[in-house]
Amino acid sequence: MSATPQRHRRARRLTLTALAVTVGAGAVVAAALPAGAASGGGKSAQARTVDVQLLSFNDFHGTLEPPQGSSGNVTERQADGTTKAIPAGGVEYLATSLREARKGHEYSVTAAAGDMIGGSPMLSGIFHDEPTVEALNKLDLDVTSVGNHEFDEGKAELRRMVYGGCHPVEGCFEFGKEFTGSEFKYLAANVTDEKTKRPLLSPTFIWKKGDVKIGFIGVTLEGTPDVVTAEGVKGLKFGDEVETINKYAAELNKQGVKSIVALIHEGGLPASGAYNYDCDAPGAGAGISGAIVDIAKNVDPKVDALVTGHTHQAYSCNIPDPAGNPRTVTSAASYGRLFTDTTLTYDRATKDIVRTPVKAPKPVNKIVSRDQPKAPDMTELVDRWKALAAPIANRPQGFISADIPGRGSESPEKPLGDLIADAQLEALAPADKGGAQLAIMNPGGIRADLAYKAAGAEGDGVVTYGESYTVQPFNNMMNVVDLTGAQLITALQQQVTGPVNGANPKILQVSKGFTYTLDMTKTGADRIVVDSVKLNGAAIDPAKTYRVAMNEFLAGGGDGFTVLKEHKNKLNGPSDLDCFNAYLMKSTAATPIAPPAADRITVIK
């Protein structure tokens, strides 16, 4: 039964009492005060300022259990320049990490930068992410921006996540319990309803503790419609991130709120994948690129810190604001593997954050280690939902002979991407299923690795339904369409060009028999060596028509592949997950699936 949306309420429990006034290791702002601050009114420096701890994370994606395979690791740079992979994440450990970090900090606020839900593993996704919202409530999250994945199931479902009520079709998942919604504030300042012109959700949130006030503005990337299905963003308009933040920063100032943090679901690309890489070497923000750099350089100086996300990268940079003052820009990777610990020095006289151009130690990204104790309340939550999911989740689907990297692979062509594309081709190649000659798969739709080691009692090498669901959780329906050879080549070029993929290429995963060369020493469309594009050894003919299998997201031009919308003769097929499971089910313990060689795309670096 569906419930009427409840009035939003907060259940933040601030119980710690020790006042922290000394800037510790990992603080963002120097404790230096404005001229005369120490003697103002005869008060001491300690009375004039107070340190506020800001804990933040992003792109959680409903990852309640530790991520499997390499996608559950973080890369740590060692003193000798080598790197080390460290297993991290899992909400039981994230809860322990955040609770330990808060100890000794009376003034502590926890914020996130979007994609808390959506693209989630089966444990959360099959229940429409109700388990994740419950877990975030228990984590004492205060506020988050929306991300693009908050719109995967449309605006009505997002509002249900906020206000509560059981699912309109599937009802309540636990007997006698009704989903109560978020106890944290969801912000969507740049998302407006096309009819009412009003923000879909609250644009700002003011966190208060005693006489300390910090304002938060939450936005998602303006390009959300490019990375979400059309149905998910129907009736919504997404505004410019900088213009929106600057507008609401001025409004917060008018309300007397001078300390402001922007939560932005848009991010950057550090030069290194190591979480402890110094992206300020050799200068402020020198080691990071991507959309967040221009955003940071143009957001009003009224904003004191930027918490970002979307790219699933880890960084802690210092990019000067338009006035030339230092300002931190942070991201804590994804899946709850890291969190960022920042110290904001609040000046009670000015009601602003102290930011100085010297002696400004940066925030620190900290690993959510699996060596620490699990939080018992989170273990109870995970076990409770696992018991509900078990009859479906534990069902064996197939067998693999070794890890098959997907989300955890940093290569343009991923072994799991090849496997998924092959599964789609096999399912849709028969004439009565569409007659597909090749299949293409968007890399962002691969949400995990397939790990050989058993996650439960199923045995090593067994792939369960829960694991296959976690790899492909969106339940995208498949399409088989007509594309000309010229359109296919344009699609390959759009992997590395345009406003969406020019700075951050999205390399399509391709089925067996489709090959080409990607020359990363060149720029733009020239990165695709046109003469190398072949199907089963024959050069692609620009004038010829080919039958191509792809999910409905790509067929709608998602991820910047606008040429794919020009298709003709579309035939609808089963879901991508159904294709994947059917392929897995042909394997046996005696004939497991081996990781594909990932040799279809020749990359020149």
Side-chain angles (χ1 to χ4, degrees), residues 406-418:
R407 192 73 181 189
S409 170
E410 296 182 1
S411 301
E413 181 183 358
K414 307 174 192 307
L416 189 50
D418 286 356

Side-chain angles (χ1 to χ4, degrees), residues 3 51 87 106 141 181 186 226 240 347 357 370 464 575 605:
D51 286 350
E106 181 180 2
L141 178 65
Y186 250 124
D226 296 324
D240 180 84
D347 186 330
R370 298 182 196 169
T464 65
S575 74
K605 298 181 180 180

Side-chain angles (χ1 to χ4, degrees), residues 31 33 99 132 184 207 263 268 332 335 378 382 405 493 515 578:
L33 299 175
R99 290 164 184 172
T132 291
F184 51 92
W207 178 84
L263 307 174
Y335 305 150
M378 290 300 181
V382 169
Q493 292 170 335
T515 56
D578 285 344

Side-chain angles (χ1 to χ4, degrees), residues 22 138 272 289 325 328 415 418 437 449 522 530 591:
T22 303
K138 289 179 178 291
S272 168
S289 60
N325 296 320
T328 58
D418 286 356
Q437 296 168 273
D449 298 344
K522 297 181 179 178
V530 174
T591 58

Side-chain angles (χ1 to χ4, degrees), residues 142 242 247 257 343 510 562 589:
D142 287 291
V242 173
K247 170 188 173 181
V257 179
T343 300
V510 297
T562 55

Side-chain angles (χ1 to χ4, degrees), residues 111-172:
D115 277 7
M116 296 295 98
I117 59 174
S120 305
M122 182 179 175
L123 179 59
S124 184
I126 199 172
F127 300 113
H128 298 276
D129 280 315
E130 290 183 19
T132 291
V133 173
E134 181 186 348
L136 294 173
N137 289 342
K138 289 179 178 291
L139 282 178
D140 284 336
L141 178 65
D142 287 291
V143 59
T144 183
S145 68
V146 293
N148 54 288
H149 281 284
E150 263 79 14
F151 296 93
D152 284 347
E153 296 189 49
K155 64 181 181 182
E157 178 65 1
L158 172 56
R159 289 179 65 83
R160 188 178 77 87
M161 292 292 99
V162 174
Y163 297 109
C166 295
H167 192 271
V169 176
E170 298 178 33
C172 300

